[in-house]
Amino acid sequence: MTHIRTTAFTLLVAGSLLAAAGCAENDDVPETAAPTGPRTVTPVAGCGKGSWTDPADLSPDRRPARCAPNTPAPEPLAEERRLTIATGTLSAEYVGPLQTAVEKGEFKKEGLNVELKVLPTPDALPLLAKGDLDAQWAAPEAAVMNGISSGFDIKWTAGNFSPAPRSKSGLWVRLKKDETADRVPMAGRRLGTMIGKGSVIAYPMNKALKKHGGGLDKIRFQQLDSADVLTALQNGGIDSAWLLDPVWRKVDGDKRYAFLGGQPQGEPLGGLLFGPNLLREDPDAGVALLRAYIRTVNTYFAGDYKTDKAFAAKLAQLLETDEEVLLATPSLRMDWEIRAGTTDRLQDAYRAAGVSEGAKVPEEKVVDRTLYEEAVGHK
């Protein structure tokens, strides 16, 4: 039943995206970006060699790119731009840089009046493709790939985060007799998750399952509300679960459960998606938006930001969460860069989950690194 519901959901989103393409044509908005000439990239003070890393470097201990605090410096646009960024939530920790950029006035320093608008991905995607939204804080999920495949001018333009080495957000299993974390046959077990198969989490989930004889095609999914996942795992209603921050802390240290793996360290799986407004119509505003975002990371999220108690308290206030809950898990590794091959690996997982068919969307049709590279002065 979960497979049918997830597949139907993906088809529904694809249908809405196709409908939006028709609207875009009626509004004389081309489906693909018009060719543009190369943009001038100049060195940026405070952003030296460490402000860029090789996209092919997938090392778990890769140090994320960083500039000096308060850099890259603002370059205010001649005229103020009003931009709307859609996000699925304003309370998750990974939205912290956007919330902080608004609160600290980093966007305004660039001449940007930014509104953060809560919208689920299926609702936001058609609006982004049509130009009714400027950007989306999301991820290249299966629905996004379907939209790009159908011709939409949407690209992944900046990363968001990867987990800290001490994080255990990910796949947890209830151990049976004589099982250990190193030996847990997963084929045929029931896995509870509030995240559908078309989510980017399918990639690390599939990776963790395969280490234990499973795989997305060899387990039984049971989609649950977020409040029910942990309860079902503890009472035996499911065998395993994908537990997010800070829920995994409830079973950490309990010998009845084992952590099998989470999101790869050093590899962001989401971030900013740009539509035609910032990719084609006004790339200056797109670079300004990324410059403010990158400056916010360098200034407030460069390292273990939770050791700054005053900042952590302010962040908890912005996210409308309890400070103790925020401090219960390690700081995220905020990271604006996008790794090479991530979208290929995601699509392999979508195919394994049965929510994607046909040829892969090439990375160059999904990813555009040039705007954040320009923001830090990397040629």
Side-chain angles (χ1 to χ4, degrees), residues 11 13 53 59 97 139 193 213 323 351 366:
L11 294 173
V13 171
T53 67
S59 305
T193 176
E323 185 178 348
R351 185 172 284 105
V366 183

Side-chain angles (χ1 to χ4, degrees), residues 191-235:
L191 190 151
T193 176
M194 65 177 183
I195 303 168
K197 294 182 180 181
S199 165
V200 292
I201 297 302
Y203 157 43
M205 188 182 296
N206 196 40
K207 187 176 180 180
L209 287 168
K210 282 185 174 181
K211 291 181 180 178
H212 298 275
L216 294 174
D217 57 338
K218 296 180 180 179
I219 61 168
R220 292 178 289 160
F221 269 86
Q222 186 168 336
Q223 201 154 352
L224 300 167
D225 292 335
S226 58
D228 299 330
V229 174
L230 178 62
T231 301
L233 179 65
Q234 291 175 323
N235 66 22

Side-chain angles (χ1 to χ4, degrees), residues 48-256:
K49 184 178 179 180
S51 66
W52 179 88
T53 67
D54 183 357
D57 184 358
L58 298 177
S59 305
D61 58 351
R62 175 185 67 88
R63 296 186 65 178
R66 292 288 184 261
C67 300
N70 298 304
T71 62
E75 298 181 22
L77 300 169
E79 295 182 6
E80 183 183 83
R81 313 289 208 280
R82 297 182 65 88
L83 302 181
T84 303
I85 304 175
T87 174
T89 177
L90 288 174
S91 60
E93 188 175 336
Y94 62 83
V95 190
L98 292 188
Q99 292 271 56
T100 301
V102 172
E103 195 270 337
K104 297 290 186 181
E106 298 297 345
F107 291 129
K108 286 191 177 295
K109 293 174 185 177
E110 301 286 351
L112 301 175
N113 187 338
V114 172
E115 176 190 4
L116 303 181
K117 187 172 185 177
V118 177
L119 278 176
T121 294
D123 296 337
L125 275 177
L127 299 176
L128 181 65
K130 189 180 176 182
D132 290 341
L133 291 172
D134 301 291
Q136 187 172 352
W137 190 248
E141 298 179 344
V144 174
M145 295 298 184
N146 288 339
I148 294 173
S149 182
S150 70
F152 286 137
D153 189 13
I154 296 174
K155 287 195 174 181
W156 185 16
T157 57
N160 52 7
F161 76 94
S162 63
R166 294 183 293 115
S167 174
K168 294 182 181 179
S169 173
L171 184 62
W172 286 82
V173 62
R174 173 189 283 271
L175 296 173
K176 298 180 181 179
K177 187 178 180 180
D178 297 328
E179 289 182 342
T180 66
D182 296 325
R183 183 181 176 278
V184 188
M186 291 297 295
R189 297 203 186 193
R190 292 165 297 171
L191 190 151
T193 176
M194 65 177 183
I195 303 168
K197 294 182 180 181
S199 165
V200 292
I201 297 302
Y203 157 43
M205 188 182 296
N206 196 40
K207 187 176 180 180
L209 287 168
K210 282 185 174 181
K211 291 181 180 178
H212 298 275
L216 294 174
D217 57 338
K218 296 180 180 179
I219 61 168
R220 292 178 289 160
F221 269 86
Q222 186 168 336
Q223 201 154 352
L224 300 167
D225 292 335
S226 58
D228 299 330
V229 174
L230 178 62
T231 301
L233 179 65
Q234 291 175 323
N235 66 22
I238 54 177
D239 304 303
S240 58
W242 190 268
L243 301 180
L244 303 175
D245 288 335
V247 178
W248 59 267
R249 293 294 298 264
K250 300 288 186 180
V251 294
D252 189 29
D254 188 328
K255 294 182 179 180
R256 294 174 298 173

Side-chain angles (χ1 to χ4, degrees), residues 18-31 126 129-131 152:
L18 289 171
C23 293
E25 290 174 356
N26 292 337
D27 290 346
D28 297 323
V29 177
E31 292 184 11
K130 189 180 176 182
F152 286 137

